[in-house]
Amino acid sequence: MSFWIVNTLNGLSLAMILFLLAAGLTLIFGLMHIINMAHGSFYLLGGYIAITAIRMSGNFVVGAIIAVIAIAILGTLVQRLLLAKLYKQEMPQALLTLGLLFIIADIAFFTWGGDPQLVPQPALFQGAVRIFGVVYPLYRLFLIGWGLAVAFLLWMFLERTKIGAVVRAGMDDEEMVRGLGINMPLVFTGIFALGSALAGLGGVLGGPLLGMFPGADFEVVLLAFVVVTVGGLGSIRGAFLGSLLVGLVDNFGNVWFPQLSLFTIFVPMVVVLALKPTGLLGRT
Amino acid sequence: MSANPTLVVDDIHTYYGESYVLQGVSLKVEPGTIAAVLGRNGVGKTTLIRSVIAFTPPRRGKIVFENQDITRWTSYRIAQAGMGLVPQGRRIFISLSVRENLEIARRAATGGNEGWTIDSVLDLFPRLRERMRNSAGTLSGGEQQMLAVARALVGNGRLLLMDEPTEGLSPHVVEELRQLIRRLRDGGMAILLVEQNINFAIESADYVYVMDKGKIVFDGLPSDLAANNDVKETYLGV
Ligand SMILES: Nc1ncnc2c1ncn2[C@@H]1O[C@H](COP(=O)(O)OP(=O)(O)O)[C@@H](O)[C@H]1O
Ligand SMILES: [Mg+2]
């Protein structure tokens, strides 16, 4: 029994890191049709900047805020200065973000080196607690709570605010939204910055568990793409469901078939796509 | 309002890639009037609307809206300046509720008066009021057209671009629409109406243009067109 509880909680905490990445990825794709490979770089830089900022400030929250703001600014610049110039040119945009992934990976390597580094855990959440009859790390529970809170806030934003409605309308028919007098270039920048910030937050909060190292950017963006493909591109609920599925499958897969880790992720993806090409909750 | 035309389209040339569609189109819409553009399928009527709202900006020529040259403006600025669009095929947002479709389109009127509010367009289209919480994708074709018109009205523009608003509507709804646009016009709105439905255009418009292969081939009063069998036969197939 404790095996199931521990591994389910482990899967859920991984799922929440994936959700932080997948949420931005799916919004950016749904609205702008950008396959953003640099999303992994924002995760990696978020983690690395947090490591440095926490070390310098001695405070997890301060370091986390600095990292998330820095990544939001970086995302804004990338969208404004580069991607906006390639409006509606999907292939050049995708290649540009791939190029950014490589460039940022090199910059990160020169700046933070090649050894894996953990983001320091916040002091408040160190240690373990007893839950459902097992002793479980408090930080992972904190992570699950954060993921759920972010998911709820994002859902409220998209479904209950006017800007959220504009974003959904933009996914339906972006040109028509502009025809109503809505400043879509600004909405694009805002959503790209939000998505980037969430990826940075993913790096900050996932960093104490997964660590930052060369290649983590690609590893995590690959998983996040699996999540949004399974969940359905453009759907936040889909990203959430996909994160749970991939997080749990990956965790149990690693426990039972450690040699087949990629296999256990991609088989469910292929099965979902074969049965429902738009993903579980995809827009049609 | 000024005595100058609300909209002047001056010799515009519009392309889709290499495909040369509008080959020098000029027309005017005077304040508080309805100008209709008629023409067969594929002659470039929708491209004209797309050019005016800058979805597909013309490569040459000039577009002036209320004395401002808007030729190089982006779509959202043009719409903000006071143009409403009822596009061909309605293009309502199916992921949104009926209410949200109206809320994101709502813009306060300029010049002090309140203009159209969500409440006042619902008085115009009571059937939408019952559907406010429904997803717009579940509306019938006629209701979707009402929503498309209502969405354009709550933007409180002074020029309305309407692209085949009667497409797929029952004769009864078409008649309601005709009365509505006459009422809007009498309230001071300028309307550029694109139609294939000749009778609808002749009965509603103050001035008509006939388009063929990307050019204006006739313009005159609706009564002139009604009496001109040549033009009707050659360009409109009746
Ligand atoms: N997006 C597009 N890309 C390329 N060609 C187009 C596009 N839209 C319309 N056309 C072509 O432009 C011409 C005019 O089309 P359109 O303006 O839609 O005509 P209408 O509204 O009068 O039926 C047609 O030959 C059509 O095939
Ligand atoms: Mg058309």
Side-chain angles (χ1 to χ4, degrees):
Chain A
M1 191 59 204
S2 68
F3 165 86
W4 287 99
I5 292 168
V6 167
N7 279 296
T8 301
L9 288 173
N10 284 350
L12 285 179
S13 46
L14 175 63
M16 293 308 149
I17 301 170
L18 289 177
F19 175 72
L20 290 174
L21 281 139
L25 210 54
T26 204
L27 281 180
I28 289 166
F29 183 86
L31 186 61
M32 299 166 233
H33 302 281
I34 294 172
I35 296 183
N36 183 22
M37 298 301 292
H39 214 65
S41 315
F42 297 151
Y43 164 90
L44 187 74
L45 282 182
Y48 275 139
I49 293 173
I51 289 169
T52 301
I54 292 169
R55 206 173 282 149
M56 287 169 67
S57 68
N59 183 315
F60 182 87
V61 175
V62 170
I65 290 173
I66 289 173
V68 171
I69 290 176
I71 300 302
I73 293 170
L74 179 64
T76 304
L77 294 176
V78 165
Q79 197 276 336
R80 269 275 137 123
L81 302 181
L82 301 172
L83 290 167
K85 306 262 174 350
L86 298 172
Y87 175 65
K88 277 200 171 155
Q89 297 172 254
E90 293 171 19
M91 193 48 121
Q93 283 178 332
L95 288 173
L96 179 83
T97 66
L98 185 62
L100 283 173
L101 179 82
F102 290 133
I103 293 169
I104 293 175
D106 278 350
I107 293 173
F109 181 79
F110 282 118
T111 312
W112 286 280
D115 294 332
Q117 303 180 45
L118 290 175
V119 174
Q121 280 189 14
L124 196 59
F125 295 102
Q126 278 165 5
V129 287
R130 183 165 278 280
I131 180 170
F132 304 129
V134 298
V135 175
Y136 196 75
L138 187 56
Y139 182 74
R140 281 184 178 265
L141 294 176
F142 160 77
L143 187 57
I144 294 171
W146 254 100
L148 293 174
V150 170
F152 178 72
L153 288 176
L154 269 181
W155 180 83
M156 290 286 283
F157 165 66
L158 281 172
E159 299 292 328
R160 292 285 180 272
T161 70
K162 194 175 147 185
I163 299 176
V166 166
V167 171
R168 281 179 292 133
M171 293 186 187
D172 283 348
D173 188 341
E174 187 256 322
E175 185 178 73
M176 188 61 220
V177 183
R178 286 187 281 130
L180 297 179
I182 292 166
N183 186 344
M184 276 317 257
L186 189 62
V187 175
F188 274 25
T189 306
I191 290 299
F192 199 91
L194 174 67
S196 306
L198 287 172
L201 183 64
V204 175
L205 296 180
L209 295 184
L210 304 178
M212 294 298 139
F213 51 89
D217 43 2
F218 190 75
E219 221 170 74
V220 84
V221 81
L222 191 67
L223 276 182
F225 269 116
V226 173
V227 166
V228 298
T229 312
V230 167
L233 285 161
S235 161
I236 280 287
R237 285 191 308 149
F240 190 73
L241 196 61
S243 300
L244 294 182
L245 206 67
V246 172
L248 289 169
V249 166
D250 185 62
N251 195 70
F252 281 101
N254 278 328
V255 172
W256 285 324
F257 320 104
Q259 300 85 354
L260 300 177
S261 61
L262 282 179
F263 186 79
T264 52
I265 288 299
F266 281 95
V267 166
M269 183 184 93
V270 170
V271 170
V272 167
L273 290 183
L275 296 175
K276 200 157 180 296
T278 53
L280 293 171
L281 299 174
R283 310 167 65 91
T284 41
Chain B
M1 279 274 124
S2 66
N4 288 332
T6 301
L7 180 74
V8 180
V9 173
D10 183 12
D11 190 31
I12 61 168
H13 299 253
T14 305
Y15 297 70
Y16 294 108
E18 290 308 299
S19 162
Y20 183 23
V21 178
L22 295 191
Q23 310 187 351
V25 170
S26 300
L27 56 78
K28 280 180 194 159
V29 187
E30 301 289 344
T33 70
I34 301 171
V37 177
L38 284 158
R40 287 201 181 101
N41 214 356
V43 299
K45 303 183 299 299
T46 296
T47 307
L48 169 67
I49 299 280
R50 293 183 60 85
S51 299
V52 173
I53 194 81
F55 287 167
T56 311
R59 282 202 202 155
R60 277 188 288 142
K62 197 164 126 179
I63 302 174
V64 178
F65 176 56
E66 294 180 335
N67 302 323
Q68 287 192 90
D69 185 344
I70 60 165
T71 315
R72 300 272 163 262
W73 290 21
T74 54
S75 304
Y76 79 86
R77 275 188 69 206
I78 295 173
Q80 280 177 358
M83 257 189 230
L85 171 65
V86 182
Q88 186 163 23
R90 289 121 199 192
R91 295 175 70 170
I92 56 161
F93 305 111
I94 57 171
S95 311
L96 272 54
S97 68
V98 170
R99 175 180 290 283
E100 286 171 329
N101 266 273
L102 296 173
E103 277 172 353
I104 66 168
R106 163 96 177 115
R107 206 148 359 96
T110 51
N113 65 330
E114 187 179 33
W116 292 98
T117 60
I118 289 181
D119 220 45
S120 61
V121 291
L122 290 176
D123 291 339
L124 207 57
F125 302 113
R127 245 182 307 170
L128 291 181
R129 196 186 286 280
E130 300 155 24
R131 304 285 171 107
M132 282 299 267
R133 297 163 68 86
N134 295 25
S135 155
T138 64
L139 298 182
S140 71
E143 289 165 343
Q144 291 195 3
Q145 189 64 57
M146 290 177 197
L147 179 56
V149 174
R151 182 179 65 178
L153 290 181
V154 294
N156 285 300
R158 293 167 305 282
L159 172 67
L160 198 54
L161 309 173
M162 302 183 97
D163 194 347
E164 302 209 27
T166 65
E167 205 176 18
L169 298 185
S170 68
H172 173 69
V173 182
V174 169
E175 177 52 27
E176 280 182 3
L177 188 67
R178 195 182 67 80
Q179 289 175 15
L180 171 63
I181 67 175
R182 297 287 287 204
R183 225 172 346 130
L184 293 173
R185 180 201 67 170
D186 294 340
M189 179 104 79
I191 299 175
L192 177 61
L193 171 70
V194 155
E195 262 302 338
Q196 288 202 53
N197 180 338
I198 305 169
N199 291 333
F200 182 80
I202 287 181
E203 285 165 22
S204 333
D206 300 295
Y207 202 78
V208 291
Y209 296 86
V210 175
M211 205 169 170
D212 188 50
K213 295 186 190 134
K215 294 187 168 121
I216 301 291
V217 291
F218 170 91
D219 69 282
L221 296 174
S223 52
D224 298 339
L225 177 63
N228 193 329
N229 287 324
D230 251 16
V231 167
K232 284 200 288 185
E233 269 169 38
T234 317
Y235 299 114
L236 303 172
V238 289

